[in-house]
Amino acid sequence: MSTAYRLERIHLEVTNVCNFKCEFCPDAIMERKRGHMDKALLTKALDEIAEHRLAKIVAFHLMGEPLIYPHIFEAIAMACDRQLNLHLTTNGSTFHIRPEHIEKLVDSGIPKVTISLQTPDPDTFIIRGAPPKLAPEQYFDGITQYVHANLLSESSTRVHLKFLDTTPHPFLVPHKAMHVVEGKEQMQTQLREWCDRLLAALPANHPDRPTETEIERRLVSHKPGRWQVIELTPKLALETFPLDSWGNVESATVTPASFGYCNGTTDQAGILYDGTVVPCCKDYDGKIPLGNINNNALSTVLDHQQPACSLRQGFDRFQVTHPVCKRCMGADTPQKSLLRQVGSVVYFKLYNPVMKRINPGWGEI
């Protein structure tokens, strides 16, 4: 594979089965058959990614809950043995349902775990569609126990706790109206409560524990309505992420995009559990199949086959050609659609490159 298209991130979907039915997730409208990735196919994918260093990051994340994949800890070990920079995104439910997962994940050596806490209190937890026997405090306690165990261990795993920010934003088009945490005051209250809860495991004199002054300074810097990472310790961060669309698939009033830029197939791609390659993590239904790694090498699919090349060539000319991309990059009003199209070019072609020069680790945290 040419070095020009070594990706920043490959989303590897080990399963699209989930035990949550979150209202902010397109799981309920996903049309694909449910299933788990065959272990032989997973091995093939990891082998090629490792051998040719196809991506800086491999993420067990697209759809589904990876910790209910039957071979998940074997999969983590396979990726780590191949020295891949593996990131896993989980809803954190199994830390209570299957508490043995806590020790297994701490001992796994995985570089990064993102916990989609999203709804940080019992009132908002109701939109998660959790299993009936998983009460809010059980869910929160399981996550807390895992974070504490990781903080107190010799593990080098970096854990991010993700909060859903529903503050209105002119560039974003949520596929469903909802109110979780909005505005600076609400978000800072939740961040502070969870900060205290998570850092309770560390003694006051622990070298990694920030002082109260440092905590306040970091929390006050939070700006609502945008993606932001708040570092607490070298192994723990809080992350806020604004509510956006999943391709505007439910809206019949979308003004489609005609120009813009996306990093699909250039900086990212996804592999669905059946081996279908898609251009980005938002193509949860495989509407833009680029090929299948059951039949071709991943490098061939991305570098030499027409669907990926055509998509990439269009974006290089700032042309949005595929109907799914047109809807994803469009918006519910002509004005917002124009803003999103211009914003996509500014973000990917100006802001993102500058941030990468300033901080070589930009996009990897």
Side-chain angles (χ1 to χ4, degrees), residues 185-238:
E185 184 177 348
Q186 281 189 26
M187 183 60 77
Q188 285 194 355
T189 297
Q190 292 294 347
L191 292 175
R192 179 73 226 202
E193 289 180 3
W194 274 92
C195 177
D196 292 343
R197 180 172 189 153
L198 300 174
L199 292 179
L202 296 179
N205 61 350
H206 194 283
D208 288 342
R209 185 185 178 105
T211 65
E212 283 299 310
T213 301
E214 290 171 333
I215 292 172
E216 285 301 321
R217 176 173 54 81
R218 295 172 194 178
L219 294 182
V220 167
S221 70
H222 178 266
K223 297 177 177 61
R226 66 178 67 179
W227 172 69
Q228 195 164 347
V229 175
I230 301 170
E231 309 280 344
L232 295 182
T233 82
K235 293 166 61 174
L236 178 63
L238 306 181

Side-chain angles (χ1 to χ4, degrees), residues 5 7 21 24 26 40 45 52 58 82 121 207 214 246 253 262 304 311 319 324 331-332 334 348:
Y5 294 120
L7 304 178
K21 302 297 177 187
F24 50 81
H52 300 290
V58 175
R82 289 160 176 75
D121 58 54
E214 290 171 333
W246 285 88
T253 60
C262 177
H304 305 299
L311 202 65
Q319 296 173 351
V324 173
D332 50 351
F348 285 114

